[in-house]
Amino acid sequence: MVTLTINGVEVTVEDGTTVLEAARFLGFPIPTLCHMEGLSPYGACRLCVVEIGQEPKSRLVTSCTYRAEEGLIVRTASSQVMKARMMILELLLASCPQSKVIQDLASKFQVRQQRFRQEHEDCILCGLCVRMCEEQMMAKAIGFRGRGEKRSIGTPFDIRSEQCRLCGGCMYVCPACQLRCTYAEPDKAICGGCANIHPPCYIKEQFDDMMCYMDPCVACEIIKK
Amino acid sequence: MNSNSSVTDLCSTCNYFATCVYRQEREGPIQFCEMFVEVVEKHKEGYGGLIAILEEIQSKYGYLPQAALRTVAEKTGRSLVDIYGVATFYRLFSLEPRGKHLVSVCKGTACHVRGGPTIAEEFETQLGIGAGQTTSDRKFTLTTVNCLGACALGPVVVVDGHYYSNVKKSEVKGIISRSDVEEERYVIPADEQTFPLEVSCPRCNHSLMDKEHLLDNAPAIRVTISFDGHHGWLRLSSLYGSYNIESEYKLPHDRIVNFFCPHCHAELVGGSKCPECSAAMVPMIVRGGGIIQICSRRGCRGHMLDLNGVNV
Ligand code: SF4
Ligand code: FES
Ligand code: FES
């Protein structure tokens, strides 16, 4: 058991608990994007930053991957944290402005401007789908490829993977395309994401690019007919 | 490669027909050879084996064929996703067939300021391809790299493991035709010529000659070596063609040792493999321009000598 202080409140948690879990246990909200219960922590989106230690030696860490330590002092909403968080959201918004999940987070955290060039990426490389496929679906059909700016997610050789069971888990967790494939039922779509991106999902030749590994995509097939 | 012959009749994976042992032993067309299966068996144990497996496959085929990666997955029990991830992560690996000759032009900082980009451009125009591409006759693949560890010689170009130093724009054409026509031009039969070489470290350019100790009546080359937890000096004969050495520790036969510069303590490694036994080669700068590379395996006589503009 370790005891740590979060926003001035002492809490004792089991060894190995992450700061995020401890803070949520106390009810302090920390936004997350690449974190999901049941999947291993990955620390890709940096949205869950918190400040640890005492000023002036404090620093920012990702709470989803940082394990609680004895005597750790954590602040989840200091001005430094808020500043970093807003910047991260602004950057995420720039790379994937069509994502409903990111839009919602941005508005929740009062991000009122977006000063960077919009990229309209299909993927923010949060790795949720990769972990979903491996850890929950036991398939390992998709994974990271390449590195640096060429890093992408997909199946080996960009062809339909023999391991994929078309469970749709990857699409379910994806914050960038979560709602795209409801296009066939526009009423159900909250944001109509797939219809709004340009060019729309269903006229793209390669659904692979859309982070849709279900080849052929059921929804898109309906549209094409 | 003869592009006119119907490629589908032949083994479609191997770039180097001449060196394909499977072709020589077989009659009739080969669709695919199983050489890499042996490779997988060899490195199967331990997770670190994956890169070794891929490296060896690549050195045999010139690239990583899809079927080979699938076999690696099957044989090692690793998922194809992981293997593909590793294969696409490292620039060393290529999933596309490569040309017979691999030209790497250095665009690292030191070479950049000495005109590396101009050299790269010249290669692009001469070969008619961009960096990372292969000529349509499958003869040349052009890549740019970020430092080859021989900054003192910049701009550096490496063709099939042979280093060209201080390359000038006007020399590019010559380098291309030379590697195309005569691949073995620089390999001097050891028994025909012996002459002393004066060498220095490719990193710090400090001389490696030990004037106090003579080997074969010439100053010896002194380096630091390490193997099996031993760390000590090694003196090599500076006579080209002589394989005499003296060493602090007795070197077991066939042992691969790591070489270090005794001055800057950098490890002496290039990217090339010994043509005889495929152990790593140890590069050293030859005074007057050029590079000598010797095999890091005790007892192996593999070496490559590239001299600048000197006719040997
Ligand atoms: S749909 Fe296929 S790729 Fe996506 S999580 Fe399921 S098995 Fe993995
Ligand atoms: S939720 Fe912690 S880094 Fe994404
Ligand atoms: S910069 Fe070209 S060899 Fe180092």
Side-chain angles (χ1 to χ4, degrees):
Chain A
M1 292 301 237
V2 291
T3 306
L4 68 163
T5 317
I6 303 178
N7 295 348
V9 184
E10 261 195 23
V11 61
T12 307
V13 292
E14 264 176 55
D15 285 346
T17 313
T18 61
V19 171
L20 178 72
E21 283 160 348
R24 288 203 166 156
F25 172 73
L26 285 179
F28 292 119
I30 296 179
T32 56
L33 192 57
C34 71
H35 177 268
M36 179 173 264
E37 241 167 81
L39 301 181
S40 53
Y42 189 60
C45 71
R46 318 311 280 180
L47 207 57
C48 64
V49 283
V50 293
E51 191 177 347
I52 58 164
Q54 219 120 34
E55 267 173 345
K57 276 186 154 177
S58 68
R59 61 196 178 100
L60 295 178
V61 296
T62 47
S63 60
C64 68
T65 52
Y66 203 90
R67 306 241 177 261
E69 291 162 2
E70 187 61 45
L72 192 72
I73 295 170
V74 183
R75 290 192 286 164
T76 66
S78 66
S79 64
Q80 218 194 336
V81 169
M82 295 315 269
K83 244 170 89 190
R85 204 172 273 164
M86 281 173 81
M87 178 52 87
I88 291 161
L89 275 168
E90 207 178 320
L91 287 164
L92 280 171
L93 206 53
S95 67
C96 207
Q98 76 275 17
S99 157
K100 174 84 166 66
V101 179
I102 296 173
Q103 285 170 11
D104 284 353
L105 276 164
S107 83
K108 192 168 161 197
F109 285 90
Q110 323 279 320
V111 177
R112 297 266 179 268
Q113 50 178 357
Q114 197 280 96
R115 292 162 291 181
F116 305 100
R117 185 158 50 91
Q118 297 208 338
E119 302 280 1
H120 290 278
E121 292 306 343
D122 298 324
C123 175
I124 55 168
L125 298 172
C126 69
L128 272 174
C129 54
V130 174
R131 282 173 286 151
M132 183 71 169
C133 189
E134 176 178 355
E135 294 168 17
Q136 291 296 333
M137 299 310 164
M138 309 295 171
K140 264 204 154 190
I142 52 174
F144 284 103
R145 304 146 336 154
R147 65 160 170 198
E149 54 165 4
K150 297 220 178 73
R151 194 160 152 93
S152 67
I153 291 176
T155 56
F157 309 106
D158 272 322
I159 49 179
R160 162 85 191 270
S161 161
E162 285 143 35
Q163 271 80 40
C164 179
R165 300 187 303 271
L166 301 184
C167 70
C170 43
M171 286 153 64
Y172 174 72
V173 294
C174 177
C177 76
Q178 217 168 25
L179 291 161
R180 260 180 218 163
C181 297
T182 57
Y183 185 77
E185 305 161 86
D187 313 340
K188 282 201 190 156
I190 308 169
C191 71
C194 56
N196 289 337
I197 51 169
H198 189 79
C201 182
Y202 60 90
I203 61 159
K204 277 203 178 174
E205 284 200 0
Q206 270 258 329
F207 300 134
D208 287 345
D209 290 345
M210 305 308 299
M211 268 195 62
C212 178
Y213 308 106
M214 297 185 28
D215 180 24
C217 164
V218 190
C220 302
E221 282 295 289
I222 299 169
I223 291 299
K224 267 203 284 185
K225 270 182 202 145
Chain B
M1 183 193 269
N2 185 353
S3 47
N4 293 335
S5 74
S6 158
V7 185
T8 44
D9 289 346
L10 298 166
C11 167
S12 52
T13 52
C14 188
N15 263 336
Y16 306 99
F17 282 174
T19 59
C20 175
V21 288
Y22 282 83
R23 270 210 68 67
Q24 289 157 11
E25 286 166 13
R26 286 211 203 167
E27 284 172 18
I30 303 174
Q31 288 297 343
F32 199 76
C33 79
E34 313 85 21
M35 191 188 274
F36 60 82
V37 178
E38 295 167 17
V39 177
V40 176
E41 292 296 325
K42 201 164 100 193
H43 297 284
K44 222 160 133 188
E45 272 107 64
Y47 199 83
L50 179 56
I51 290 176
I53 293 173
L54 297 184
E55 258 190 320
E56 209 156 317
I57 293 173
Q58 165 131 336
S59 71
K60 291 215 165 103
Y61 295 101
Y63 76 111
L64 298 171
Q66 191 183 123
L69 292 191
R70 287 188 189 278
T71 313
V72 173
E74 213 173 278
K75 295 267 168 194
T76 58
R78 242 167 248 159
S79 71
L80 188 60
V81 166
D82 289 347
I83 295 169
Y84 189 78
V86 171
T88 50
F89 186 88
Y90 294 102
R91 273 190 60 179
L92 166 76
F93 298 125
S94 164
L95 294 169
E96 304 284 320
R98 286 215 192 145
K100 198 165 174 198
H101 306 290
L102 180 63
V103 181
S104 316
V105 184
C106 183
K107 272 188 164 181
T109 317
C111 291
H112 186 102
V113 294
R114 290 171 181 228
T118 334
I119 303 298
E121 257 166 50
E122 184 64 13
F123 268 103
E124 283 178 13
T125 20
Q126 291 289 342
L127 293 172
I129 48 170
Q133 293 178 335
T134 305
T135 50
S136 52
D137 58 4
R138 287 271 185 85
K139 272 193 180 144
F140 287 96
T141 296
L142 181 66
T143 58
T144 55
V145 292
N146 302 324
C147 194
L148 290 154
C151 311
L153 296 178
V156 180
V157 173
V158 177
V159 183
D160 301 332
H162 288 285
Y163 282 70
Y164 293 87
S165 55
N166 292 314
V167 178
K168 290 179 199 69
K169 204 172 158 192
S170 53
E171 292 169 10
V172 169
K173 213 170 187 167
I175 294 175
I176 294 173
S177 51
R178 220 175 304 159
S179 22
D180 195 15
V181 182
E182 260 180 275
E183 289 157 46
E184 302 295 290
R185 179 184 167 118
Y186 286 120
V187 180
I188 314 161
D191 43 351
E192 279 177 20
Q193 280 182 330
T194 52
F195 49 89
L197 292 175
E198 226 181 296
V199 298
S200 56
C201 166
R203 292 284 156 97
C204 66
N205 216 359
H206 200 293
S207 168
L208 296 173
M209 306 311 292
D210 188 347
K211 300 245 153 52
E212 331 250 280
H213 293 90
L214 300 186
L215 261 177
D216 296 327
N217 286 326
I221 300 168
R222 196 174 73 104
V223 290
T224 318
I225 52 162
S226 90
F227 67 100
D228 297 346
H230 297 301
H231 218 76
W233 53 260
L234 172 77
R235 288 200 197 95
L236 305 152
S237 168
S238 61
L239 226 48
Y240 187 82
S242 161
Y243 296 92
N244 290 336
I245 61 160
E246 270 174 8
S247 153
E248 188 169 348
Y249 298 100
K250 196 170 151 38
L251 286 174
H253 195 74
D254 254 2
R255 175 72 83 251
I256 298 178
V257 299
N258 297 332
F259 285 67
F260 299 89
C261 168
H263 308 286
C264 67
H265 306 291
E267 182 165 8
L268 305 177
V269 276
S272 13
K273 291 266 154 71
C274 173
E276 319 253 318
C277 73
S278 76
M281 295 294 270
V282 179
M284 287 176 278
I285 295 184
V286 179
R287 170 116 185 254
I291 285 208
I292 170 100
Q293 299 189 72
I294 57 168
C295 180
S296 59
R297 189 193 298 274
R298 172 74 184 124
C300 174
R301 303 202 147 187
H303 62 268
M304 291 191 261
L305 177 63
D306 299 325
L307 292 182
N308 258 13
V310 183
N311 264 328
V312 281

